[in-house]
Amino acid sequence: MEEPILLDALGAGGPYHSRVRRTITDLTGTPVAELSLVPRLFVQRTMAALRGARTLPPHDRASALARAGRLFATGTVAGLPAEEYQHIVSRVSGMPIAVVRSATAGIGRRTRDAYRITRHARPQGAVDDWRDPLTCDGHAVWTRRGDVFAVHAAGNHPGVHSLWLQALALGYRVAVRPSRREPFTPHRLITALRESGFGEDQVVLLPTDYAVADDIIRDADLAMVYGGQEVVSKYGNDVNVLPQGPGRSKILLTGEDWKPHLGTIVDSVSAFGGTACVNATAVLVEGDPAPVAEAVAERLSAIPSLPPEDDGAVLPLQPVADARAIEKYLLDHMDGATPVLGGDGVVDELGDGSAVLRPAVFLVDRPDAPQTGLELSFPCVWFAPWSRADGIEPLRNTLVLTAITSDDALIDRLVEEPSIRNVYLGDTPTYLMPPWVPHDAYLGEFLMRTKGVIRT
Amino acid sequence: MATEQILDCPLDQVPDGPEYIEAAMRWHFSPETGSPFWLERAKTLGFDPREDVRTLDDLRRFPNVANELRDVRVDDLIPRGYGADADVVGVYESGGTTGPPKRVVLLRDWMDRLAHRTELDLRARGYPEDGHWLYLGPTGPHILGEMVRRQAARRGGIRFTIDIDPRWVKRCIAENRCDEAERYAEHLIDQSAHILRSQDVRVLVTTPPLLTRLARRDALVDLINSKIAAISWGGASMDPDTRYLLRTEVFPGVKLYGTYGSTMILGGVPERVTAPDEDIVIFDTFSPYIMFSVVDRETGEAVRYGDRGQVVMHHVSKSFLLPNNLERDLATCVAPPPGQMGDSVAEVGPLPVFDDQPVIEGVY
């Protein structure tokens, strides 16, 4: 058997190989890595070191990020060539290899451009430096709200690690707690950042068990936490924590012939293996949703079950036991919905201990049915009828809403609704995330604020 | 030899194990000398300890009666053989983690025996011969604070302490009032800071969580490094990485020794002295008075040396008997040093708590 990969914690004093470790297994239960877990004492000392560190000048940050992006995407980092890293992530997370490859390239670009991306969030009225001549007459200077930024990362998709880079670009020192599902991506990214010019006291990886996780947030100035509804409920009132909760992305089709838009719907449901917060969870159709649901189900049912490292793989995999738990959860929560696809189960075992999660399509009888908010980490979509009398209430609390409609007055209301964070119009799939378009607002809006400077 | 002679063996001698256990059974289960609690309990044991219990293995035949100590009258725990004027030092209680606290009676003769042994242990570990002690651990009905007070006094020092009520902290956490627990803990650190600053303390006795919390404040780390010669930790487990960091980075010049004990054995035992580069904490016992068995969590059978299992504690003294008490700790079973009955234990930690089960709903 191959030696497991050793994923050390990356502390302010360098890599730390701990005595307490967690074994990371692939889909079949074979151990592939040992993740060092650090105790509370290590966390608090590391966070104190971040606080005491000095931030690199902006130009140095930008150029180090540019180098790190290239290294992450194509280089050999901590002994792992990019191809090997991608294979492991795919085998551990069950994410199709094509999705991992594209995520690798995407993280590379977002790292390279992180400094430039932050510029989109800066208010037009603000400058970066008090020395700017504009401050002589009084001006806004864009300043950090704190110095130390913490991230409780998720493991659903490597791309979650492309966002916090903006904090690093803006001069924060950053601590990342990786997910136990997939620590490889942040380990590789932080190693690449360190090899590219960021000091060990600028960006750290702190794998911890559950009990210590909150310490990282407590000792940071600001934090971003990925999780489910419970995370939103726990931190929703904390102005220093930005929860990244369920996306509950949706598509709205009004009065149009839906056939030309079928591809947009199918892609919105199944891109990234359906694992992202920007995947469509519900489709609301003006009129009868059944024909649309059936057409989508037909397209989704044609996707083959393949191991994740197969170039043609589209669907996500899980170890059989985890897949069965997800399936049970789904079937337990159908609650009167009419199955169109997957009603008798979604688990397709490959025989090696892993299982494909096959697509599921359901019909519910009203747009505010609770299932339309039921977001699962595979292609699973709920179709509901919608009429103008229902209004925009059933469309609230949505990360991305693709509205296929020609009703400008309705679009006005959607754009004005605060709980809909992105409105995409026409044949725009929900999963599009160009860097200049905010994701859940610009992260810079949370990290920075303007400060008045007048020089006399 | 007569029963009492064996049980009252001189403090500087170690009685023969099997002979000692037989004598203890005669003492605790004879109507003239046994406690009302055990004499009553003996009726439903299904065996006669005076006939059937001669070895450590035989002690495992006893049911675990620890839970009965939550409600029993403490008067009924004192062996009748002490007569009407048993020298009671105090009544002490378990932490109360798993329900109402369990109560034990500390009698003078046992305390003197344990204190004598602890004194030898402290000398062997090079604890400072003079100076004061700071005890930063549970007070009130908890036994350790009293033991430390007497240990410091015996060495001519004063035990400084502050009020610590661990049950309040547990309650705050159970009620999800983590902010209250946090405030309380910081209140404790604030108070200990006053003592550390103003008094000549040379030994610090505390718990791993409080030690970690002390280490959050640079000024206190400096004070401890300049004033404290030895730190004793106990009352909770210390993970090996925390120990490594404390020894190498936080308190590099301070002796750091663990204690593993329980109210239910009326005391604790110190960490084995090992070479400085040995990265392991082993606890030998104080047999035949305090003994451990490491057993399989599922079957209850003894595990082999090197394997992990759940810790069973036994206390057998003239003053008290509590055999076969299954603790909520996991440990690696370690071969005992020559002459010790029962297992030694290493890498002690709590039973795993499955609090991070994967959440299914949502993509994260």
Side-chain angles (χ1 to χ4, degrees):
Chain A
M1 203 183 78
E2 281 185 57
E3 286 290 301
I5 295 164
L6 299 178
L7 291 178
D8 291 342
L10 302 172
Y16 179 77
H17 185 63
S18 67
R19 289 142 187 81
V20 176
R21 294 187 291 274
R22 169 173 275 153
T23 300
I24 309 287
T25 54
D26 73 6
L27 294 166
T28 65
T30 306
V32 292
E34 295 260 309
L35 176 65
S36 284
L37 297 184
V38 294
R40 174 167 281 131
L41 181 63
F42 189 95
V43 167
Q44 67 194 33
R45 290 174 66 74
T46 304
M47 297 305 283
L50 291 186
R51 189 163 296 287
R54 291 171 60 95
T55 289
L56 292 175
H59 177 77
D60 294 350
R61 301 196 301 261
S63 54
L65 282 159
R67 284 191 295 275
R70 284 188 290 273
L71 181 58
F72 176 86
T74 57
T76 293
V77 182
L80 278 187
E83 296 72 25
E84 204 173 319
Y85 151 76
Q86 289 158 355
H87 181 79
I88 292 167
V89 169
S90 183
R91 284 302 305 167
V92 167
S93 69
M95 179 85 61
I97 188 76
V99 177
V100 177
R101 285 190 194 122
S102 131
T104 311
I107 295 169
R109 283 194 302 275
R110 298 264 179 154
T111 308
R112 198 184 62 202
D113 299 339
Y115 188 80
R116 200 159 52 81
I117 292 168
T118 62
R119 306 291 89 191
H120 295 296
R122 194 185 67 176
Q124 290 209 344
V127 294
D128 281 317
D129 193 319
W130 67 268
R131 292 174 186 82
D132 192 295
L134 287 171
T135 59
C136 289
D137 295 330
H139 212 81
V141 176
W142 209 36
T143 55
R144 285 191 299 277
R145 287 179 62 210
D147 286 320
V148 179
F149 184 62
V151 184
H152 276 201
N156 62 309
H157 186 285
V160 297
H161 293 286
S162 56
L163 193 53
W164 57 258
L165 293 157
Q166 294 178 36
L168 203 58
L170 288 167
Y172 279 87
R173 278 84 75 189
V174 177
V176 178
R177 177 182 183 248
S179 108
R180 66 204 176 104
R181 278 162 70 187
E182 203 271 273
F184 298 94
T185 299
H187 186 274
R188 177 178 179 86
L189 186 50
I190 291 170
T191 305
L193 288 162
R194 289 171 165 212
E195 286 179 15
S196 304
F198 283 99
E200 288 167 341
D201 58 2
Q202 299 293 311
V203 57
V204 299
L205 181 74
L206 295 175
T208 66
D209 72 15
Y210 184 79
V212 185
D214 269 352
D215 286 45
I216 301 176
I217 294 177
R218 183 195 57 200
D219 288 352
D221 297 311
L222 298 176
M224 177 163 68
V225 181
Y226 290 84
Q229 188 58 45
E230 79 291 347
V231 159
V232 178
S233 308
K234 181 173 178 184
Y235 297 110
N237 293 324
D238 188 337
V239 294
N240 294 324
V241 178
L242 182 67
Q244 300 282 295
R248 293 173 181 146
S249 296
K250 298 178 184 69
I251 296 174
L252 174 67
L253 278 160
T254 72
E256 320 281 318
D257 175 14
W258 52 266
K259 291 193 185 72
H261 310 296
L262 190 59
T264 299
I265 303 172
V266 170
D267 289 352
S268 295
V269 172
S270 62
F272 315 131
T275 60
C277 51
V278 290
N279 283 117
T281 298
V283 179
L284 280 67
V285 181
E286 193 178 31
D288 181 6
V292 198
E294 279 154 21
V296 168
E298 190 183 334
R299 290 273 285 271
L300 290 174
S301 67
I303 303 175
S305 291
L306 292 169
E309 67 274 17
D310 191 297
D311 285 342
V314 170
L315 299 173
L317 289 88
Q318 293 278 344
V320 168
D322 295 357
R324 291 284 173 205
I326 293 169
E327 178 182 64
K328 178 172 189 308
Y329 189 88
L330 169 65
L331 299 179
D332 287 351
H333 288 78
M334 274 172 54
D335 195 26
T338 306
V340 182
L341 179 66
D344 48 0
V346 295
V347 173
D348 189 3
E349 296 191 25
L350 294 190
D352 60 355
S354 70
V356 174
L357 284 163
R358 297 210 43 88
V361 178
F362 294 88
L363 278 166
V364 291
D365 58 7
R366 52 179 226 274
D368 60 346
Q371 293 97 322
T372 59
L374 187 66
E375 175 175 300
L376 297 172
S377 57
F378 71 102
C380 176
V381 62
W382 307 84
F383 281 80
W386 179 87
S387 74
R388 275 152 222 263
D390 293 313
I392 64 163
E393 181 63 28
L395 300 164
R396 295 184 68 243
N397 299 312
T398 299
L399 179 58
V400 181
L401 175 69
T402 287
I404 302 176
T405 180
S406 52
D407 182 343
D408 283 3
L410 175 62
I411 295 172
D412 280 340
R413 291 174 64 200
L414 297 175
V415 173
E416 284 161 10
E417 165 56 42
S419 74
I420 301 173
R421 274 101 81 192
N422 301 282
V423 177
Y424 294 177
L425 300 172
D427 257 324
T428 315
T430 54
Y431 62 78
L432 281 193
M433 288 182 282
W436 57 88
V437 174
H439 175 60
D440 182 5
Y442 288 121
L443 185 58
E445 296 172 51
F446 174 70
L447 296 173
M448 306 293 277
R449 69 171 154 229
T450 51
K451 178 179 291 195
V453 175
I454 304 177
R455 288 198 275 168
T456 305
Chain B
M1 218 187 315
T3 301
E4 285 206 56
Q5 260 180 298
I6 297 169
L7 297 179
D8 286 330
C9 129
L11 296 182
D12 55 0
Q13 289 175 23
V14 179
D16 170 67
E19 187 183 67
Y20 178 82
I21 289 181
E22 286 177 29
M25 294 302 121
R26 283 198 299 278
W27 172 262
H28 286 291
F29 293 97
S30 297
E32 310 78 47
T33 53
S35 68
F37 169 77
W38 271 120
L39 293 175
E40 180 62 28
R41 199 65 182 72
K43 295 175 185 167
T44 52
L45 288 177
F47 61 92
D48 181 354
R50 285 175 295 180
E51 294 297 324
D52 301 330
V53 174
R54 296 167 193 279
T55 65
L56 174 61
D57 280 347
D58 294 339
L59 287 177
R60 299 222 49 222
R61 294 186 62 176
F62 280 97
N64 183 3
V65 300
N67 278 329
E68 296 166 34
L69 300 180
R70 299 184 202 278
D71 298 311
V72 68
R73 294 173 63 240
V74 294
D75 312 71
D76 291 343
L77 291 174
I78 301 170
R80 282 182 182 149
Y82 281 92
D85 51 354
D87 194 347
V88 177
V89 176
V91 171
Y92 298 96
E93 296 183 355
S94 64
T97 309
T98 53
K102 294 166 270 196
R103 245 167 241 107
V104 294
V105 184
L106 178 61
L107 298 184
R108 171 92 41 201
D109 61 318
W110 167 249
M111 196 196 64
D112 288 345
R113 189 173 295 281
L114 183 66
H116 176 81
R117 167 64 182 242
T118 305
E119 178 59 31
L120 298 181
D121 291 334
L122 293 173
R123 280 187 210 154
R125 284 156 186 76
Y127 275 61
E129 295 292 337
D130 52 15
H132 302 317
W133 292 42
L134 172 56
Y135 174 70
L136 186 53
T139 48
H142 302 281
I143 196 168
L144 183 59
E146 179 62 19
M147 293 286 192
V148 171
R149 185 180 75 78
R150 286 167 188 271
Q151 214 64 52
R154 186 184 173 115
R155 315 193 111 217
I158 293 163
R159 177 211 60 169
F160 291 91
T161 192
I162 58 176
D163 287 332
I164 297 189
D165 177 0
R167 292 178 198 158
W168 179 247
V169 179
K170 284 172 190 164
R171 181 165 168 181
C172 289
I173 291 168
E175 292 173 356
N176 214 14
R177 293 167 180 256
C178 295
D179 286 356
E180 274 185 46
E182 176 74 20
R183 278 190 72 213
Y184 185 69
E186 286 301 301
H187 173 58
L188 303 178
I189 302 295
D190 288 342
Q191 295 174 78
S192 48
H194 293 311
I195 299 169
L196 277 170
R197 271 192 213 104
S198 58
Q199 303 303 320
D200 298 329
V201 288
R202 302 207 58 206
V203 178
L204 170 63
V205 181
T206 188
T207 65
L210 285 170
L211 198 52
T212 296
R213 191 171 281 272
L214 282 168
R216 286 173 63 83
R217 301 197 192 172
D218 290 343
L220 294 187
V221 170
D222 292 345
L223 271 175
I224 290 171
N225 278 319
S226 66
K227 285 191 168 184
I228 299 288
I231 297 172
S232 291
W233 57 266
S237 58
M238 180 183 286
D239 71 85
D241 291 295
T242 294
R243 178 171 177 265
Y244 171 80
L245 293 168
L246 288 172
R247 295 208 312 174
T248 57
E249 289 188 13
V250 188
F251 303 123
V254 184
K255 292 175 188 297
L256 183 71
Y257 284 109
T259 302
Y260 182 45
S262 161
T263 309
M264 296 296 104
I265 50 173
L266 286 167
V269 293
E271 175 182 339
R272 184 190 288 182
V273 180
T274 55
D277 58 335
E278 270 202 58
D279 203 10
I280 189 164
V281 177
I282 300 168
F283 297 105
D284 300 320
T285 64
F286 184 20
S287 81
Y289 309 104
I290 290 173
M291 293 170 289
F292 302 149
S293 312
V294 184
V295 303
D296 186 276
R297 284 175 65 193
E298 307 293 331
T299 66
E301 298 295 318
V303 302
R304 289 173 300 187
Y305 296 135
D307 286 351
R308 283 185 77 71
Q310 204 165 345
V311 179
V312 175
M313 291 186 174
H314 313 273
H315 178 101
V316 183
S317 71
K318 185 181 176 188
S319 73
F320 184 57
L321 173 69
L322 186 65
N324 203 24
N325 176 28
L326 188 68
E327 285 285 328
R328 293 175 310 124
D329 292 324
L330 285 184
T332 304
C333 186
V334 172
Q340 173 184 310
M341 281 206 297
D343 300 323
S344 294
V345 297
E347 298 168 311
V348 179
L351 290 176
V353 180
F354 301 101
D355 55 358
D356 58 350
Q357 290 294 310
V359 176
I360 290 174
E361 192 169 338
V363 294
Y364 301 128

